[in-house]
Amino acid sequence: GIYEFHTQVTASWPPGTRNVWCCFLANPQSWSRKELKELLGTEPDLSDSPFSKALSSPSCQMLLAVPNITESIYSRLWCVEEARQAMEFG
């Protein structure tokens, strides 16, 4: 849950970093599939989605992948796509 997330982020927080954008807080988890589809944009490569815009922003300096004890983040396609885009944007 959120306590595990806080512990993981606190332990991994890069020195000098002042801001964070959390994708799980940006995408309303309770929205219907249709509403989420509208939020995520129309491009097949998801380049107009909120997380892609955040990752491609000049102010974005890194991606911090935060694991949890329940499930591997790399078993979730969304997390894999975020990592792929982060590597693509450099």
Side-chain angles (χ1 to χ4, degrees):
I2 194 68
Y3 296 111
E4 180 186 3
F5 174 76
H6 178 267
T7 300
Q8 294 281 6
V9 170
T10 302
S12 303
W13 194 258
T17 302
R18 298 179 53 177
N19 302 306
V20 64
W21 183 83
C22 299
C23 72
F24 79 89
L25 297 174
N27 293 338
Q29 304 296 315
S30 62
W31 280 15
S32 71
R33 188 171 218 146
K34 181 181 181 234
E35 291 171 313
L36 278 174
K37 186 175 181 179
E38 290 172 11
L39 174 71
L40 296 178
T42 58
E43 296 299 321
D45 65 354
L46 302 172
S47 60
D48 58 345
S49 66
F51 78 87
S52 185
K53 289 177 182 177
L55 289 172
S56 65
S57 168
S59 63
C60 181
Q61 298 176 356
M62 70 185 71
L63 171 74
L64 178 62
V66 182
N68 66 62
I69 61 171
T70 306
E71 156 179 37
S72 169
I73 58 175
Y74 302 110
S75 68
R76 301 186 65 199
L77 290 178
W78 197 259
C79 296
V80 172
E81 175 58 17
E82 288 175 334
R84 185 196 69 77
Q85 285 199 23
M87 291 185 332
E88 182 178 297
F89 293 132

